């Protein structure tokens, strides 16, 4: 997909949805509309304790401040075909990407490998396990609203994603200050491969989305806001109703930027595609192929033809 790199960022902010509103139908409609028109929105008053988010950011920041030798204790093995573990910054000449990161699964318990969870700071595991339980509740509520927005039962998207085998993958992105902002991006423009992403970040946020032919800066309206990003799996499962938004991460000249996205996705062997109820009868033909998730990931990450 060719994207204009026009830097005009004067457009309105992404939608902000207050989950404390007692009119759940109104909230659900706002989530569906934002997913159709933007593919990204921010939720506030979501019920996740502010203190827990603060602690999540604290233990994550402390990990990246450790000596390199300690961080290497949870490094991604060189021969691993999986993505879990710590990786140091890299420069990709094709994409101008530069970021340190740590990947590890936080749900389901059967998929959690504590080998890749930092032991320092000592509170890291406790904080991330508590955060995982809150993330699961929030993600499942949003998936229920999006399922109903397709005219389906509340469990439709969760089941289409794999039901109880759905995985939650934590990633911490660490972007050091960059004096030359024209040299590299934190992460270049892309859409997420998974179903839905829930993200918090320190200040400055540095996240931009592509809409109406230009990049738009996203802004927190509150320090406790959570950014929700629709990914490729939900684009395809909804048969194109929900957008998979193009977004990128910029860097700051003076400040370190850190973000904590949680990717909600199928297990690698799960087959997914447009939900059957959306392509039966008079509803029309599927707009997308069905894929084994690991095959889709491989093809997209290697810039291969998909449909």
């Amino acid at each position: 997909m060719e994207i204009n790199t026009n830097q005009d960022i004067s457009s309105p902010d992404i939608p902000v949805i207050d989950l404390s509103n007692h009119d759940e139908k109104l909230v659900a409609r706002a989530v569906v509309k934002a997913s159709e028109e933007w593919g990204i929105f921010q939720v506030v008053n979501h019920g996740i304790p502010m203190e827990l988010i603060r602690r999540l950011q604290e233990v994550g920041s402390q990990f990246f401040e450790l000596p390199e030798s300690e961080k290497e204790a949870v490094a991604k093995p060189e021969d691993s075909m999986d993505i879990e573990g710590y990786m140091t910054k890299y420069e990709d000449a094709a994409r101008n990407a530069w970021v340190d990161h740590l990947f590890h699964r936080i749900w389901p318990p059967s998929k959690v490998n504590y080998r890749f969870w930092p032991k320092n700071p000592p509170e890291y595991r406790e904080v991330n396990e508590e955060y995982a339980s809150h993330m699961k509740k929030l993600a499942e509520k949003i998936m229920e609203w999006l399922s109903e927005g397709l005219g389906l039962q509340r469990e439709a998207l969760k089941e289409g994603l794999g039901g109880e085998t759905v995985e939650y993958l934590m990633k911490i992105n660490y972007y050091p200050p960059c004096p030359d902002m024209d040299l590299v991006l934190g992460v270049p423009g892309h859409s997420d491969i998974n179903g839905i992403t829930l993200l918090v970040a320190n200040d400055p946020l540095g996240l931009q989305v592509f809409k109406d032919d230009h990049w738009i800066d996203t802004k927190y309206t509150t320090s406790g806001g959570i950014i929700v990003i629709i990914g490729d799996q939900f684009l395809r499962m909804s048969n194109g109703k929900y957008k998979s938004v193009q977004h990128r991460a910029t860097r700051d000249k003076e400040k370190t930027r850190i973000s904590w996205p949680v990717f909600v996705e199928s297990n690698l062997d799960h087959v997914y595609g447009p939900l059957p109820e959306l392509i039966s009868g008079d509803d029309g033909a599927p707009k997308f192929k069905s894929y084994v998730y690991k095959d889709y990931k491989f093809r997209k990450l290697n810039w291969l033809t998909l449909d």
Side-chain angles (χ1 to χ4, degrees):
M1 177 180 178
E2 292 294 326
I3 294 183
N4 182 354
T5 57
N6 186 335
Q7 293 299 305
D8 178 10
I9 53 175
S10 59
S11 293
D13 293 340
I14 65 172
V16 178
I17 301 172
D18 186 347
L19 300 191
S20 68
N21 191 315
H22 294 299
D23 188 343
E24 185 175 343
K25 289 184 178 180
L26 185 65
V27 173
R29 284 199 299 270
V31 166
V32 169
K33 182 178 180 183
S35 300
E36 291 174 339
E37 297 180 0
W38 283 79
I40 186 171
F41 53 94
Q42 181 183 176
V43 294
V44 297
N45 298 319
H46 38 67
I48 300 177
M50 291 283 294
E51 176 62 14
L52 177 60
I53 294 176
R54 186 197 67 77
R55 291 173 66 207
L56 177 83
Q57 295 177 331
E58 181 177 59
V59 296
S61 300
Q62 288 174 350
F63 167 75
F64 280 95
E65 292 166 359
L66 293 172
E68 196 67 24
S69 59
E70 289 195 54
K71 290 184 285 189
E72 289 293 335
V74 294
K76 175 184 177 295
E78 289 187 10
D79 59 351
S80 174
M81 299 299 291
D82 201 353
I83 60 175
E84 287 193 288
Y86 167 71
M87 291 184 66
T88 57
K89 68 174 67 70
Y90 62 95
E91 292 187 61
D92 182 332
R95 300 198 235 178
N96 295 322
W98 191 13
V99 59
D100 292 10
H101 57 238
L102 172 67
F103 276 107
H104 60 73
R105 291 179 179 85
I106 58 175
W107 192 269
S110 61
K111 290 290 187 176
V112 171
N113 186 348
Y114 292 112
R115 152 78 175 80
F116 298 110
W117 288 47
K119 293 181 174 59
N120 190 11
E123 303 85 9
Y124 188 91
R125 176 171 171 174
E126 174 191 349
V127 171
N128 275 265
E129 286 183 336
E130 184 178 352
Y131 189 68
S133 67
H134 283 282
M135 278 286 101
K136 186 171 184 288
K137 290 177 183 177
L138 177 58
E140 289 186 346
K141 175 58 68 176
I142 293 171
M143 286 191 281
E144 288 178 357
W145 290 329
L146 292 175
S147 296
E148 291 183 332
L150 296 171
L152 305 178
Q153 295 295 317
R154 284 195 155 199
E155 298 296 312
L157 282 173
K158 178 183 174 182
E159 291 304 315
L161 208 58
E164 294 306 314
T165 69
V166 171
E167 298 181 6
Y168 288 67
L169 179 67
M170 167 68 78
K171 181 184 183 186
I172 308 178
N173 295 304
Y174 180 86
Y175 308 94
C178 182
D180 187 350
M181 299 297 286
D182 294 326
L183 180 62
V184 290
L185 284 168
V187 176
H190 66 286
S191 62
D192 285 350
I193 297 174
N194 55 296
I196 191 172
T197 303
L198 295 92
L199 176 147
V200 298
N202 70 342
D203 184 44
L205 181 56
L207 178 67
Q208 294 182 337
V209 298
F210 192 75
K211 190 175 189 297
D212 299 330
D213 295 325
H214 60 264
W215 292 100
I216 300 170
D217 271 327
T218 64
K219 299 180 179 67
Y220 274 140
T221 58
T222 172
S223 58
I226 293 178
I227 301 292
V228 180
I229 301 171
I230 303 298
D232 293 355
Q233 285 195 293
F234 279 4
L235 164 74
R236 290 168 170 266
M237 290 166 63
S238 69
N239 207 31
K241 179 169 182 175
Y242 298 136
K243 284 189 175 181
S244 179
V245 67
Q246 292 279 328
H247 56 287
R248 69 184 185 187
T250 61
R251 301 178 59 191
D252 193 271
K253 290 183 178 180
E254 300 175 353
K255 298 178 182 178
T256 295
R257 195 178 80 79
I258 313 178
S259 65
W260 289 258
V262 172
F263 303 105
V264 184
E265 62 182 10
S266 300
N267 72 74
L268 291 176
D269 295 319
H270 182 72
V271 179
Y272 79 99
L275 296 176
E277 303 93 326
L278 301 179
I279 57 174
S280 60
D282 298 327
D283 293 333
K287 297 178 181 178
F288 306 99
K289 291 181 182 179
S290 293
Y291 276 96
V292 178
Y293 186 46
K294 63 184 175 185
D295 294 340
Y296 180 84
K297 292 184 80 168
F298 177 83
R299 296 192 69 83
K300 179 162 181 177
L301 292 174
N302 288 279
W303 304 87
L304 300 176
T305 303
L306 285 165
D307 293 298

